Amino acid sequence: MGDTLIPQHIGFIMDGNGRWAKKRLMPRNFGHNQGAAVFKKTINWCRELGVKCATFYAFSTENWKRPPDEVKGIMDLLRRYIKDIRESAKEDIRIIILGDISAFDEDIRVELTDIMETSKDNTGFIVGIALNYGGRAEICRAAKILSERCVSGEISSADITEDMLEQLLYTAEMPPLDLVIRPSGEQRLSNFLIWQAAYAEFVFMDVLWPDFTKKDLEYAINEYAGRSRRFGGI
Ligand code: IPE
Ligand code: IPE
Ligand code: MG
């Protein structure tokens, strides 16, 4: 496959953990556990297939609506996974956290900030992890920063460009989002990378995230390779 046939940046909406667990008569957090293991494997598959960057939707700004024991289970899982994330950073992987991490407990916040900082010069692969992330919140945050710059006189509102706003998104240092993969049968973005997905391709799949395999990834990339991306042209 030629280079343009391989997406540079894939977004994964890791959905279906709860249904996967339910099918096995297990608590939802059992599904999240399994989903986290697939997250780790998917990073390697992406690298093997020549993808440069992968962003994973792990916890949305709306997921706080879930029962407290499920939210707590996800936070505990995150604590356990931070060690793995740190190990990944040693393999020339840069970790970028997308989202407002100020809502998390201090130990998680400190670790995540540290992982981002210590991995920032790695160039082998970029892993984005969306945590307490919402596309609307991300755009709103960028708008606030721009408006502060206007108020301080640094810029004038008439000079604001799409590029300026884009530079204030969490994805500023990532390649453009080419492909969004959502397993679990749902066909929506659920507030994931809504700005960045403006011209991305979408592949929706019926597989539940904990069952997602390298073959599924290859299928999605193959679909992508067959799409004609016109970006408004002909
Ligand atoms: C996605 O799986 C994981 C998170 C949102 C944290 P779900 O928990 O949404 O699984 P379903 O959609 O209920 O099956
Ligand atoms: C999207 O899944 C969020 C993550 C995968 C982290 P949801 O399960 O929260 O989305 P909805 O509720 O089906 O839209
Ligand atoms: Mg879901």
Side-chain angles (χ1 to χ4, degrees):
M1 277 193 224
D3 263 5
T4 56
L5 299 179
I6 299 286
Q8 283 200 75
H9 182 179
I10 305 181
F12 291 91
I13 301 179
M14 304 190 285
D15 196 22
N17 296 348
R19 280 163 279 175
W20 185 90
K22 194 174 177 206
K23 267 177 38 186
R24 286 160 180 77
L25 307 175
M26 295 294 281
R28 294 179 57 85
N29 281 322
F30 182 67
H32 295 315
N33 227 33
Q34 192 62 28
V38 173
F39 153 74
K40 225 178 108 177
K41 289 193 264 183
T42 304
I43 295 172
N44 293 327
W45 299 333
C46 284
R47 282 191 98 171
E48 286 160 20
L49 293 169
V51 176
K52 298 271 178 287
C53 171
T55 298
F56 297 86
Y57 204 7
F59 194 84
S60 77
T61 47
E62 288 75 34
N63 287 147
W64 298 106
K65 290 180 197 158
R66 297 187 177 203
D69 69 314
E70 180 170 347
V71 172
K72 187 180 176 299
I74 293 172
M75 294 305 144
D76 289 342
L77 189 60
L78 184 57
R79 281 194 176 84
R80 274 185 278 136
Y81 257 80
I82 280 175
K83 218 176 102 246
D84 278 325
I85 299 171
R86 195 177 281 291
E87 285 304 309
S88 302
K90 288 192 188 135
E91 297 160 25
D92 200 23
I93 293 178
R94 176 171 184 188
I95 314 281
I96 296 179
I97 308 295
L98 300 79
D100 177 13
I101 63 169
S102 71
F104 295 128
D105 286 348
E106 164 148 29
D107 61 315
I108 296 181
R109 245 172 27 227
V110 168
E111 287 287 343
L112 292 177
T113 309
D114 185 64
I115 287 166
M116 275 200 280
E117 183 54 35
T118 54
S119 71
K120 74 175 187 327
D121 296 323
N122 291 349
T123 54
F125 190 79
I126 302 175
V127 173
I129 308 172
L131 289 166
N132 191 25
Y133 173 87
R136 289 175 179 171
E138 178 183 37
I139 295 167
C140 191
R141 169 179 171 268
K144 278 182 195 157
I145 298 172
L146 287 176
S147 76
E148 278 158 18
R149 289 183 189 166
C150 290
V151 169
S152 74
E154 194 186 322
I155 56 167
S156 126
S157 62
D159 299 331
I160 293 174
T161 62
E162 290 184 12
D163 272 350
M164 283 164 72
L165 196 143
E166 210 154 52
Q167 282 307 310
L168 295 169
L169 302 180
Y170 297 113
T171 46
E173 295 183 50
M174 293 176 169
L177 183 70
D178 290 322
L179 171 63
V180 174
I181 299 176
R182 182 167 192 158
S184 93
E186 311 299 348
Q187 305 198 352
R188 54 176 170 259
L189 275 180
S190 302
N191 207 9
F192 182 55
L193 300 178
I194 53 176
W195 171 290
Q196 296 85 345
Y199 267 103
E201 296 296 324
F202 295 92
V203 174
F204 297 105
M205 305 176 77
D206 282 333
V207 61
L208 300 173
W209 176 254
D211 289 327
F212 190 82
T213 61
K214 189 175 182 186
K215 276 212 153 44
D216 294 317
L217 178 60
E218 285 167 342
Y219 167 84
I221 290 179
N222 210 38
E223 275 289 303
Y224 171 85
R227 303 271 175 92
S228 164
R229 300 182 81 191
R230 287 185 288 279
F231 298 100
I234 52 168

